[in-house]
Amino acid sequence: MSLPYTQEMLDSIKKVEAGRAARVNGPEPVRMTADQKTALLEAFHPDYNLDSFEEIKIGPNAGQKAPKELVEILQANSRIKDMDIDLSNPDYDVDVLVIGGGGAGASAAIEANEGGANVMIVTKLRIGDANTMMAEGGIQAADKENDSPAQHYLDVMGGGHFKNVPELVHKLVTDGPSAVNWLDKLGVLFDKDENGVMVTTHGGGTSRKRMHAAADYSGAEIMRVLRDEVINRGIPVVDFTAAIELIKDNEGKAAGAVLMNMETKEILVAKAKCVIIATGGAGRMHYQGFPTSNHYGATADGLVLAYRAGASLLYQDTLQYHPTGVAFPAQIYGALVTEKVRSMGAMFVNVDGEVFMHPLETRDVAASGIIRECKERGKGVPTPVSEGIWLDTPMIDMIHGKGTLEKRLPGMLRMYMRYGIDMREVPIVIYPTLHYQNGGIKISANGMSDVENLFVAGEAVGGIHGRNRLMGNSLLDIIVFGRNAGQQASKKCKEVTVGELTLSHVDAFSKEMADAGIVTDVVSPKLLPEYRPEGVTRLN
């Protein structure tokens, strides 16, 4: 199998190889100062590209900015517009309705079931078709002797530029050790040493080694166990069925959802005493034209549903562009290259073989540095697809011993080997990819949104990570806040009496659009991305 790199790329690799021994044996690159980081972010991070944002005109966040693509679907027509939906005879009647079948939704359902609630999961794809499955590097938790939740708290707040909601961060870090222990007892196969002690590593922006992993497929392993637990408990899962609108009762409380079968387009009604939104992220919105590491269904559905129902958003203007997305080959363009690669020693190297920044700066800073290297300094590595910079992966075996990369990063190795690239022998080309929705729906520490009985968990939540998330804290938050939402909803539903079901809030939102002069043909939630070229119709 021949290496698919161009001659220009091969010439650049010679420069990378020439300095490798010095990088392995020499001192680490210098960390950036706070002022340098701020200047870099303001100049190159996509969140500061003001041309890509616009003002929200209606709803709880009116007057605030958001990506244009998000504003378009927040201020769009409901999918149930002009439908005559009978709410008097629901197809499903449960205590707790969980919308979303990823790690947060599964965790919530398990805990709601444990609390004695009649719970049901509804998901537009299949249970496990979620960003959880695609998380690679690991899950943070301060459970080692040289660490503490207080130290973890400081790292999270610093990584989020101190914009995080303190009570949410407090819950994240204090519940972290018990969350990992819960997963371990459920059967997650974390990496352990010969004594059965979990192996931990650093991540970008962490001051301690607190990253617990299952090789480089941590999310898939966690989702495997959660999915099995849902099935073993007999929790009903209605798959290939999307929530297209929330239902409220005549007191304005969340009381269920209008559902649509993704294949038949049949409309169904689910009544519930409490609703949990766990719909995940927004990568498939492709903000600013960026590629994404996200799964096919990540289209910000939960934000649309909650916003139309009257729930506030928080930090909806900030996204995470993971610094190491695949820039070549084209077949996996935008796919994630886990931060674990850098935590094990691989460094950023430009086309001239120069290291231009520390490999474990926080993700927003690292992404901005790579964009600057390519766009301003002209030192990107040209490929047949786009440009990027080298991630010098052969350093890993040089540092830790031959065979380490294959043992600790088997998924990464296999992914690249399919295309004739052996990352043990040659560096790989990376560029930032749209990875995580930092902002989302505003919640309190009990997981409830502004709308009573509407809980939120996982990537659909805003505020936990402030304006930037550190590696390993997303797998942690889906467990901590997923479990929390399930526990709180199972308690709350015992005291809830659902009133008359209504969709009047949908009509009210439509009127607000009209009063603001918003005229659009767009309907939302989006549900799935559209990749067909303009003018091409679907074959029957």
Side-chain angles (χ1 to χ4, degrees), residues 13 16-17 20 23-24 341 345-347 391-401 405 422-428:
I13 285 178
V16 176
E17 291 172 339
R20 187 173 292 146
R23 290 194 296 276
V24 169
V341 176
M347 291 186 184
L391 188 57
D392 195 15
T393 49
M395 290 181 65
I396 293 173
D397 279 0
M398 289 182 68
I399 294 170
H400 302 286
L405 191 151
D422 187 342
M423 59 192 293
R424 297 168 297 187
E425 303 294 332
V426 294
I428 56 176

Side-chain angles (χ1 to χ4, degrees), residues 182-416:
W182 182 69
L183 291 172
D184 187 41
K185 288 183 175 180
L186 282 179
V188 172
L189 299 175
F190 287 112
D191 296 339
K192 296 179 180 180
D193 64 19
E194 62 275 8
N195 298 314
V197 177
M198 291 192 197
V199 176
T200 53
T201 59
H202 271 302
T206 62
S207 59
R208 299 289 187 274
K209 292 182 178 181
R210 67 172 72 96
M211 205 69 56
H212 306 67
D216 59 349
Y217 41 80
S218 304
E221 171 62 9
I222 288 171
M223 194 68 241
R224 175 189 69 83
V225 170
L226 294 177
R227 181 173 53 228
D228 285 353
E229 185 68 13
V230 167
I231 293 169
N232 291 339
R233 285 174 173 265
I235 296 170
V237 178
V238 183
D239 56 12
F240 294 111
T241 301
I244 58 172
E245 206 63 72
L246 293 178
I247 298 170
K248 299 169 80 171
D249 69 9
N250 55 353
E251 294 183 353
K253 301 174 183 177
V258 178
L259 313 176
M260 183 183 75
N261 184 296
M262 294 290 286
E263 296 172 304
T264 67
K265 308 306 177 186
E266 178 186 9
I267 300 298
L268 303 164
V269 172
K271 178 182 177 182
K273 295 176 180 177
C274 291
V275 178
I276 299 174
I277 286 179
T279 51
R284 293 290 167 171
M285 297 297 293
H286 292 290
Y287 298 127
Q288 300 189 41
F290 270 80
T292 186
S293 62
N294 284 191
H295 82 105
Y296 193 59
T299 48
D301 298 352
L303 275 59
V304 172
L305 298 177
Y307 196 71
R308 205 137 53 204
S312 300
L313 305 181
L314 184 63
Y315 300 147
Q316 70 282 347
D317 61 326
T318 175
L319 286 302
Q320 181 167 91
Y321 298 82
H322 196 293
T324 54
V326 176
F328 182 82
Q331 297 94 324
I332 50 173
Y333 183 60
L336 181 65
V337 175
T338 173
E339 192 164 306
K340 189 175 180 180
V341 176
R342 286 177 285 136
S343 74
M344 295 179 68
M347 291 186 184
F348 296 130
V349 185
N350 65 25
V351 70
D352 293 330
E354 303 162 338
V355 173
F356 57 92
M357 70 186 307
H358 195 285
L360 290 178
E361 295 286 5
T362 56
R363 288 178 171 178
D364 54 350
V365 172
S368 300
I370 293 166
I371 293 171
R372 177 179 64 182
E373 202 70 8
C374 294
K375 303 301 182 186
E376 182 183 79
R377 294 181 173 172
K379 294 198 174 186
V381 178
T383 81
V385 180
S386 60
E387 65 176 348
I389 58 97
W390 294 115
L391 188 57
D392 195 15
T393 49
M395 290 181 65
I396 293 173
D397 279 0
M398 289 182 68
I399 294 170
H400 302 286
K402 190 174 180 62
T404 301
L405 191 151
E406 183 175 9
K407 179 181 178 181
R408 300 286 298 278
L409 298 162
M412 283 283 98
L413 180 61
R414 285 195 301 270
M415 181 174 76
Y416 275 100

Side-chain angles (χ1 to χ4, degrees), residues 28-183:
E28 286 189 341
V30 177
R31 294 268 190 176
M32 299 176 70
T33 66
D35 288 344
Q36 287 173 329
K37 292 177 183 179
T38 298
L40 179 63
L41 290 169
E42 290 179 352
F44 294 100
H45 194 276
D47 280 357
Y48 290 85
N49 180 7
L50 298 181
D51 291 340
S52 295
F53 296 82
E54 66 181 52
E55 184 180 307
I56 302 171
K57 294 181 179 178
I58 59 174
N61 293 82
Q64 298 178 14
K65 70 172 184 175
K68 291 179 178 179
E69 299 89 344
L70 179 59
V71 173
E72 181 180 60
I73 61 170
L74 287 178
Q75 300 178 165
N77 300 304
S78 171
R79 285 184 173 271
I80 67 170
K81 184 179 180 180
D82 300 327
M83 286 187 186
D84 184 16
I85 297 176
D86 181 9
L87 302 178
S88 64
N89 187 28
D91 300 276
Y92 305 100
D93 191 345
V94 297
D95 294 332
V96 178
L97 175 67
V98 178
I99 303 173
S107 298
I110 291 166
E111 288 293 354
N113 176 267
E114 183 70 17
N118 174 19
V119 58
M120 181 177 81
I121 295 174
V122 59
T123 177
K124 67 182 175 184
L125 297 173
R126 302 165 299 179
I127 185 170
D129 285 338
N131 283 344
T132 303
M133 278 291 293
M134 307 175 83
E136 298 166 347
I139 176 172
Q140 285 204 49
D143 58 1
K144 292 296 179 73
E145 291 182 358
N146 70 333
D147 203 358
S148 70
Q151 191 66 44
H152 191 181
Y153 180 94
L154 292 173
D155 287 348
V156 175
M157 293 295 288
H161 302 286
F162 297 95
K163 301 297 184 182
N164 322 55
V165 177
E167 55 267 34
L168 299 185
V169 181
H170 180 270
K171 184 163 189 64
L172 179 78
V173 301
T174 55
D175 287 8
S178 62
V180 169
N181 185 55
W182 182 69
L183 291 172

